Amino acid sequence: MGRAVQRRFLGLTAAAAALAMTAALAGCGSSGGSGDVTLKLVAADYDVAGGENSKKYWADLTAAFEKEHPGIKVDVQIESWSDVDRKVAEMVEAGKAPDVAQIGAYADYAAAGKLYSADQLLSIPVQSNFLGPLADAGEMKLVQYGLPFVASTRLLFYNKKLLAEAGVDGAGLKTWADLKSAAEKLKDKTDAKYPFALPLGPEEAQAETMMWLLSGGDGYVDPVGKYSVDSQENINTFQWLKDNLVDEKLTGPVAPGELNRKDAFAAFTRGEVGMLNGHPSLMQAAEKAGVEFGMVALPGKEGKPKSSMGVADWIMGFKQNGHRKEIGAFLDFVFSDENVLKFAGDNDLLPVTVSASEAMEQNAAHKELQPFLKELPSSVLPPVGKTSWAKVSENIKTTIGKAVQPGGSPAAVLGQIGRAAAVAEQAE
């Protein structure tokens, strides 16, 4: 069986078993014999500018849910992205796990046996509605524990004014050769400080790296899921970056290994960047700054790559308090089209279900997100189902910039990362 077919077969089998146990579990999680249950939800705050959208979203959603399910209450705790993963970890360590957590990673909790599987929580129509790449990324050993909450993909952003001055048609950026040619013209004919901004600094170098590895025909793992960071294709990709962009001084005044994504995005909004890889939140920032921009699919070595990078945040149900049935009812409600579209649309992110994606695609109000949406079904996510990924990702963040520095060796740096990844994988 293919991977997707296997997942659906296993899901249906597990779901059937879960349904058979419903009667035995129906009374699970009641308190004081009253039948009332209060679920504890810890969720991340997506309002980076300090707004109240996340709090209002969850307040409105839980009020509507409680109205439909009078025996279930939901206590919501919103934490900043810089704190939420740590705070959930502390709660779990203290034996006070929340019932539901909406955070950045699920693998460690799944490996420790602390999470319900998707089959144990969701109705079959809801579970089968997740987009394939996102459902796959939520799996550990072919069982889904991580439920994708929102997603995003990446596109190539370009400054229309600067490219026009350079005599470059942004819509024609399809290959690496196109990127190099455009960057050379931007350097020669415009005042762009960064003809092509390449943020390989420690903030999010693992994401920028993955975009380039995919565009070069490989990625972080091979077809059977083992790390392939130091494959020949990946080495060739970084050798091209070093030889054609960095050594030719087309990446700006800050060394790629010292340039963080946040700073690269800020430079784009100041009109200093000709081209860079970006995610949906850059649209709003650029528009606010008055920068006219265009977006195209990330160019590949010879043309459009077969896969782009996808990213997802996760929501999960913890076993500790025994509220399986109530958590399942709540998450079924969370993944209704109305709620999925509301959160994604309000935060310039992408819906995680097939039906909500189709609805967004047909809605002119979400026109700017549709190019990102188009890339999602064929996207590849980082190997978040590996408990070793956190360590490997951190190594990439702090090391990969050395691959393109003067005198650097892509083969040596990727080799070091690859060997460390193999050691981390063996320790899983």
Side-chain angles (χ1 to χ4, degrees):
M1 288 185 291
R3 181 171 172 78
V5 175
Q6 279 184 314
R7 185 177 70 249
R8 288 184 176 84
F9 175 79
L10 290 170
L12 290 172
T13 302
L19 287 171
M21 295 174 63
T22 299
L25 293 171
C28 240
S30 21
S31 56
S34 68
D36 289 338
V37 166
T38 297
L39 299 177
K40 177 68 174 180
L41 163 67
V42 179
D45 187 356
Y46 284 74
D47 295 299
V48 293
E52 298 288 320
N53 283 345
S54 294
K55 291 179 181 177
K56 185 176 187 307
Y57 173 82
W58 286 113
D60 291 346
L61 183 148
T62 54
F65 172 77
E66 290 171 357
K67 186 176 180 180
E68 288 189 15
H69 301 78
I72 310 174
K73 303 293 183 184
V74 184
D75 175 26
V76 181
Q77 177 180 334
I78 306 291
E79 297 288 349
S80 71
W81 264 117
S82 59
D83 294 329
V84 67
D85 287 277
R86 173 180 57 81
K87 292 209 172 182
V88 169
E90 289 172 353
M91 293 169 73
V92 173
E93 181 68 21
K96 299 178 180 179
D99 296 288
V100 181
Q102 188 273 297
I103 51 179
Y106 68 86
D108 286 342
Y109 301 123
K114 296 183 182 297
L115 301 180
Y116 289 114
S117 67
D119 302 306
Q120 293 173 307
L121 295 174
L122 302 176
S123 64
I124 292 172
V126 170
Q127 187 184 359
S128 63
N129 196 25
F130 290 125
L131 289 162
L134 305 181
D136 287 345
E139 289 180 352
M140 176 175 284
K141 297 180 180 178
L142 292 180
V143 178
Q144 185 181 359
Y145 296 96
L147 313 179
F149 181 65
V150 285
S152 68
T153 53
R154 303 294 187 261
L155 295 175
L156 177 73
F157 282 68
Y158 60 87
N159 182 308
K160 286 188 174 182
K161 178 178 178 290
L162 290 174
L163 260 65
E165 291 176 5
V168 175
D169 176 12
L173 298 172
K174 300 181 184 298
T175 68
W176 290 355
D178 295 333
L179 290 181
K180 181 183 180 182
S181 174
E184 289 172 337
K185 292 175 182 176
L186 284 161
K187 181 183 177 183
D188 293 340
K189 300 180 180 181
T190 77
D191 60 357
K193 290 185 178 180
Y194 300 82
F196 192 101
L198 183 65
L200 294 175
E203 180 192 1
E204 205 184 19
Q206 85 289 354
E208 185 73 17
T209 297
M210 184 172 178
M211 292 179 231
W212 284 100
L213 300 187
L214 291 171
S215 71
D218 201 353
Y220 282 134
V221 296
D222 64 20
V224 297
K226 291 193 173 295
Y227 286 112
S228 60
V229 183
D230 54 349
S231 71
Q232 190 59 52
E233 291 92 339
N234 291 340
I235 291 171
N236 292 344
T237 293
F238 266 78
Q239 192 67 56
W240 186 92
L241 281 174
K242 184 178 188 304
D243 294 344
N244 292 276
L245 294 184
V246 182
D247 288 353
E248 295 297 319
K249 303 187 184 306
L250 300 176
T251 54
V254 179
E258 298 173 8
L259 181 65
N260 282 324
R261 182 192 66 177
K262 180 180 179 180
D263 297 326
F265 282 16
F268 187 82
T269 65
R270 294 194 299 267
E272 298 172 357
V273 174
M275 302 173 289
L276 84 170
N277 299 334
H279 57 59
S281 70
L282 183 56
M283 294 189 301
Q284 187 176 22
E287 288 169 354
K288 185 177 180 180
V291 174
E292 191 176 359
F293 61 91
M295 303 178 298
V296 293
L298 299 182
K301 186 175 182 180
E302 304 294 340
K304 189 178 186 302
K306 63 181 181 180
S307 300
S308 62
M309 188 186 77
V311 176
D313 298 327
W314 305 94
I315 194 165
M316 61 212 70
F318 282 85
K319 292 179 177 179
Q320 180 179 307
N321 302 319
H323 296 153
R324 183 196 64 81
K325 185 177 70 169
E326 293 82 6
I327 294 170
F330 178 66
L331 291 174
D332 270 357
F333 190 82
V334 166
F335 287 112
S336 69
D337 283 355
E338 178 184 359
N339 290 325
V340 170
L341 283 167
K342 172 67 174 168
F343 194 89
D346 284 354
N347 293 279
D348 282 338
L349 292 166
L350 304 180
V352 296
T353 64
V354 174
S355 56
S357 295
E358 290 172 349
M360 178 176 277
E361 188 175 8
Q362 295 164 11
N363 188 337
H366 299 298
K367 182 178 180 181
E368 287 188 325
L369 284 171
Q370 289 170 3
F372 293 93
L373 192 65
K374 185 178 180 181
E375 299 297 311
L376 192 56
S378 62
S379 65
V380 174
L381 277 74
V384 292
K386 291 177 173 289
T387 55
S388 60
W389 172 240
K391 182 179 292 186
V392 174
S393 175
E394 190 61 31
N395 190 23
I396 294 167
K397 288 181 182 181
T398 58
T399 306
I400 194 63
K402 298 175 184 177
V404 296
Q405 70 184 17
S409 167
V413 172
L414 288 170
Q416 180 271 317
I417 295 171
R419 290 190 294 275
V423 171
E425 188 166 42
Q426 289 172 2
E428 282 188 308

